[in-house]
């Protein structure tokens, strides 16, 4: 979609992406209902919800680089939805653990969170996502002010790192898959670090005071 | 000890395997293949093996309901064919199991290489319905066909100096795509103490559900040690070596802090990264409690008298 889509086109695009983002869940539901998830369906459901959480985090983090590189500024209008879908799949992922794995045995859950590093980081990532989901509305952006809102939402970098670590630490031996996610995340964070360094240099050369304020939309 | 027996018919003949296959066709007809493919699942094509003749009912069976043939043969850990559970069923068909020979050697009076046909003649085949507990936290009930490993080991007459037994899985890069990655230090080697190997529960399996083993389950010959985590049961064995030194197994080399030589099922000794207190029985919704020695404590606990099982995990 070159240039800027019309408001009407954008609304249609948003609706289409909204439905598309539900496809992984629909696929799992269909598979569970038709006994097509293999011998251990609960494992497939838990893992799939987890990987989709990670994928939506990466998609969310890919919006800004894609905008800068391709000039598709309208992508920004989809970012909140991607972020909320990351939270949505993360909440379902956590729910499968609490319900199907532990059956709400809170003592065992608390022990797990403290004792098992991969659960500790996974749980921490989810907890950190909660304030971001709660402050995702326009009203909350206004209430917090763009600068504070942005500072808060930078925790998504930490969340993504914790998410990849969670995956890395749970696999038994073959780390191919978590490595792929780690490299993608490394790229998405690396390009930001590079831009930041370049921007600082440019400002130094120009003799300006570094400007720290940016609008929430330009992260 | 009372061993319950149902005398008339072996359970493998009751279990309606054709039903599972019809179900698969039904799902395929609905287009499940494409969805399952999109989810990264295989179609789970389990090959039909030849039926084994003259199977008797063996001891130590459980009354628990055996896991379906389909689940046993499509959800496998056999890293030589890839690290995900569904790869072995898709890829193990390439492995050639005919002809097959297994060398039994090391500290023995009569080292010998057995053709698989000769192994099958060493003892009457028994059906043994055992629980299988994977170190990953899932379990199955499997109607194995085989005979005690002891029968094979007696043939070669172990020397007095033999204390341990090593089991070597086939290493064939041509038919095993998984060995191209250094996930484990190939070939796959497992081991037992000699008294564990001679225990009447320890089975040399050649079939399941009354049929020859499918390749993904370790055809044509594999080890089954029901009170230990599943990975101790070396598959597709080509070499059995008796030694006086504790074998260094593939999983010990891969992660010595996580996988010990003994690897007895023990709900009180956690894997460093996850709990071993519970397990998900394949086909069940909620988890169940894991039993000490996988429920075989009456038979095997005496092997470990006086040993600190936290130290010797």
């Amino acid at each position: 979609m070159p240039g800027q889509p019309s408001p009407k086109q954008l609304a249609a695009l948003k609706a289409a992406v909204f439905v598309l983002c539900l496809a992984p869940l629909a696929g799992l539901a269909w598979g569970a209902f038709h006994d097509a998830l293999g011998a251990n369906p609960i494992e497939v459901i838990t893992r799939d919800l987890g990987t989709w959480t990670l994928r939506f985090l990466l998609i969310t983090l890919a919006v800004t680089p894609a905008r800068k590189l391709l000039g598709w500024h309208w992508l920004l209008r989809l970012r909140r939805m991607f972020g909320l879908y990351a939270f949505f799949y993360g909440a379902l992922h956590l729910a499968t653990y609490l319900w199907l794995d532990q059956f709400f045995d809170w003592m065992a859950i608390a022990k797990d969170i403290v004792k098992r590093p991969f659960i500790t980081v996974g749980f921490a990532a989810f907890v950190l996502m909660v304030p971001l989901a709660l402050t995702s509305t326009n009203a909350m952006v206004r209430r917090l002010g763009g600068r504070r809102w942005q500072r808060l939402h930078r925790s998504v970098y930490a969340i993504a790192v914790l998410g990849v670590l969670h995956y890395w630490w749970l696999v038994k031996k073959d780390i191919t898959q978590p490595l792929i996610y780690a490299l993608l995340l490394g790229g998405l964070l690396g390009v930001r670090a590079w831009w930041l360094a370049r921007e600082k240099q440019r400002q130094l050369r120009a003799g300006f005071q570094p400007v720290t304020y940016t609008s929430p939309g330009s992260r | 000890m009372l061993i319950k027996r149902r005398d008339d018919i072996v359970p493998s003949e009751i279990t309606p395997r054709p039903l599972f296959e019809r179900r698969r066709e039904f799902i395929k007809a609905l287009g499940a293949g494409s969805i399952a493919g999109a989810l990264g699942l295989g179609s789970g094509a389990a090959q039909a093996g030849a039926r084994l003749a003259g199977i008797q009912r063996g001891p130590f069976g459980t009354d628990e309901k055996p896991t379906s043939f389909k689940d046993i043969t499509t959800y496998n850990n056999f890293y030589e064919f890839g690290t995900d559970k569904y790869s072995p069923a898709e890829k193990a068909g390439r492995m050639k199991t005919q002809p097959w020979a297994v060398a039994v050697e090391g500290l023995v009076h009569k080292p010998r290489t057995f053709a698989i046909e000769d192994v099958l003649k060493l003892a009457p085949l028994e059906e043994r319905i055992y629980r299988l507990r994977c170190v990953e936290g899932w379990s199955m009930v499997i109607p194995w066909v085989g005979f005690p490993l002891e029968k094979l080991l007696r043939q070669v007459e172990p020397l007095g100096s033999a204390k341990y037994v090593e089991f070597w899985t086939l290493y064939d890069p041509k038919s095993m795509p998984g060995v191209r990655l250094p996930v484990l230090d190939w070939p796959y080697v497992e081991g037992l103490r000699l008294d564990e190997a001679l225990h009447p529960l320890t089975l040399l399996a050649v079939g399941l559900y009354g049929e020859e083993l499918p390749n993904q389950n370790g055809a044509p010959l594999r080890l089954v040690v029901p009170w230990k985590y599943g990975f101790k049961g070396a598959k597709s064995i080509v070499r059995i070596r008796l030694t006086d030194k504790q074998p260094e197994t593939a999983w010990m080399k891969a992660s010595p802090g996580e996988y010990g030589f003994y690897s007895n099922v023990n709900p009180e000794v956690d894997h460093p990264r996850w709990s071993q207190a519970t397990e998900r029985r394949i086909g069940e919704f909620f988890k169940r409690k894991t039993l000490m020695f996988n429920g075989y404590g009456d038979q095997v606990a005496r092997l470990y008298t006086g040993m600190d099982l936290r130290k010797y995990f």
Side-chain angles (χ1 to χ4, degrees):
Chain A
M1 206 174 295
Q4 192 65 18
S6 71
K8 222 172 148 185
Q9 281 176 318
L10 196 67
L13 180 71
K14 268 184 154 178
V17 173
F18 180 85
V19 172
L20 199 64
C21 291
L22 286 169
L25 183 65
L28 280 176
W30 194 94
F33 192 71
H34 290 89
D35 196 16
L37 297 182
N40 197 346
I42 291 169
E43 180 186 54
V44 171
I45 290 168
T46 307
R47 297 256 163 109
D48 245 37
L49 291 172
T51 43
W52 277 105
T53 308
L54 211 45
R55 282 172 196 166
F56 275 109
L57 278 170
L58 294 185
I59 291 169
T60 311
L61 286 173
V63 166
T64 295
R67 245 181 85 210
K68 286 201 186 177
L69 293 171
L70 305 170
W72 294 358
H73 296 288
W74 49 268
L75 273 176
L76 188 62
R77 307 291 294 272
L78 299 172
R79 191 175 66 180
R80 169 165 49 196
M81 186 155 66
F82 290 140
L84 283 171
Y85 264 115
F87 178 71
F88 173 70
Y89 279 99
L92 290 176
H93 177 62
L94 177 67
T96 56
Y97 165 76
L98 297 178
W99 178 39
L100 300 174
D101 255 34
Q102 299 287 359
F103 198 56
F104 308 114
D105 181 347
W106 300 110
M107 279 302 291
I109 292 164
K111 218 179 104 191
D112 242 12
I113 292 172
V114 177
K115 237 180 120 179
R116 320 258 166 238
F118 89 92
I119 294 180
T120 315
V121 295
F123 189 73
F126 179 78
V127 169
L128 287 172
M129 273 203 279
V130 174
L132 305 199
L134 292 177
T135 57
S136 63
T137 60
N138 290 338
M140 283 307 286
V141 180
R142 277 194 299 274
R143 237 170 95 180
L144 284 170
R147 202 165 158 182
R148 272 163 66 204
W149 184 93
Q150 190 178 24
R151 211 182 293 147
L152 173 66
H153 279 247
R154 283 213 174 105
S155 66
V156 70
Y157 304 142
I159 291 165
V161 171
L162 291 171
V164 169
L165 212 52
H166 173 63
Y167 193 7
W168 193 292
W169 282 346
L170 86 87
V171 299
K172 196 159 86 175
K173 193 66 187 50
D174 182 2
I175 50 139
T176 314
Q177 285 295 322
L179 184 65
I180 292 168
Y181 285 92
L183 290 174
L184 288 172
L185 178 62
L188 292 171
L189 297 184
V191 73
R192 286 172 165 82
W194 187 64
W195 278 330
L196 192 71
R198 215 179 45 170
E199 174 66 14
K200 278 205 172 133
Q201 257 183 7
R202 195 187 61 77
Q203 285 169 352
L204 281 176
R205 264 202 307 273
F208 288 138
Q209 287 297 312
V211 179
T212 48
Y213 176 72
T214 37
S215 80
S218 66
R219 184 160 51 116
Chain B
M1 185 184 58
L2 176 77
I3 299 162
K4 284 189 185 170
R5 285 163 186 265
R6 281 167 300 182
D7 291 317
D8 42 359
I9 187 166
V10 280
S12 56
E13 289 167 47
I14 302 169
T15 305
R17 185 180 154 207
L19 197 71
F20 287 108
E21 281 161 4
R22 277 212 302 279
R23 182 176 63 173
R24 195 159 65 228
E25 285 159 20
F26 175 65
I27 292 166
K28 266 189 192 146
L30 284 168
S34 56
I35 294 279
L39 291 168
L41 299 175
S43 59
Q47 60 196 83
R51 287 204 77 81
L52 293 160
I55 302 168
Q56 304 169 1
R57 175 178 296 278
F60 310 115
T62 166
D63 280 342
E64 290 164 273
K65 185 172 162 281
T67 306
S68 76
F69 180 86
K70 183 191 165 206
D71 286 348
I72 294 172
T73 56
T74 54
Y75 190 76
N76 306 99
N77 275 325
F78 198 163
Y79 276 20
E80 283 83 343
F81 298 103
T83 55
D84 91 272
K85 300 277 185 305
Y86 304 91
S87 291
E90 284 167 19
K91 295 178 181 162
R94 298 178 205 170
M95 177 171 63
K96 257 186 78 183
T97 58
Q98 278 290 350
W100 192 276
V102 54
V104 189
E105 57 193 38
L107 300 175
V108 296
H109 283 292
K110 297 177 177 169
R112 189 179 149 190
T113 297
F114 295 84
I116 185 67
E117 298 77 21
D118 298 329
V119 173
L120 288 165
K121 288 176 202 149
L122 289 178
L125 294 180
E126 300 171 23
E127 179 167 83
R128 300 258 187 122
I129 304 176
Y130 282 166
R131 289 176 288 275
L132 176 129
R133 168 64 156 80
C134 177
V135 74
E136 296 165 353
W138 53 268
S139 64
M140 292 182 176
V141 176
I142 303 181
W144 298 110
V145 178
F147 56 79
L149 173 67
E150 183 201 356
K151 309 271 188 197
L152 176 74
L153 294 179
R154 294 292 178 216
Q155 292 283 322
V156 296
E157 297 175 20
L159 295 172
S161 53
K163 295 284 178 283
Y164 296 94
V165 189
E166 277 177 10
F167 303 87
W168 295 54
T169 294
L170 175 72
Y171 172 77
D172 178 24
K174 275 198 298 258
S175 64
M176 296 173 149
V179 301
R180 285 175 215 144
L181 285 174
V183 179
L184 293 171
D185 186 1
W186 314 109
Y188 193 91
V189 173
E190 255 310 333
L192 296 173
R193 230 167 48 190
L194 184 59
D195 60 339
E196 296 175 324
L198 295 174
H199 192 281
L201 269 173
T202 303
L203 196 70
L204 200 58
V206 296
L208 60 84
Y209 266 111
E211 299 179 0
E212 283 176 4
L213 281 175
N215 284 4
Q216 62 269 32
N217 293 85
L221 187 71
R222 67 165 293 168
L223 182 66
V224 177
V225 196
W227 72 93
K228 292 177 180 283
Y229 292 117
F231 69 88
K232 293 297 289 180
K235 300 185 178 81
S236 305
I237 298 169
V238 291
R239 189 175 180 207
I240 296 175
R241 202 165 72 99
L242 286 88
T243 72
D244 53 0
K245 280 196 288 290
Q246 183 175 291
E248 218 191 320
T249 71
W251 278 104
M252 288 165 75
K253 280 193 229 172
S255 187
E258 296 184 320
Y259 308 99
F261 175 74
Y262 286 92
S263 291
N264 292 318
V265 176
N266 188 338
E268 284 152 34
V269 178
D270 288 338
H271 187 281
R273 288 184 286 153
W274 55 82
S275 165
Q276 295 292 24
T278 58
E279 65 199 48
R280 174 161 287 118
R281 176 69 52 83
I282 296 302
E284 291 180 356
F285 198 64
F286 290 113
K287 287 192 167 180
R288 51 164 70 207
K289 283 202 157 46
T290 289
L291 304 173
M292 187 66 202
F293 296 117
N294 203 21
Y296 298 98
D298 286 351
Q299 287 84 29
V300 302
R302 62 178 171 79
L303 294 174
Y304 310 102
T305 314
M307 279 174 69
D308 179 357
L309 296 179
R310 283 185 186 281
K311 189 175 166 204
Y312 298 99
F313 59 94

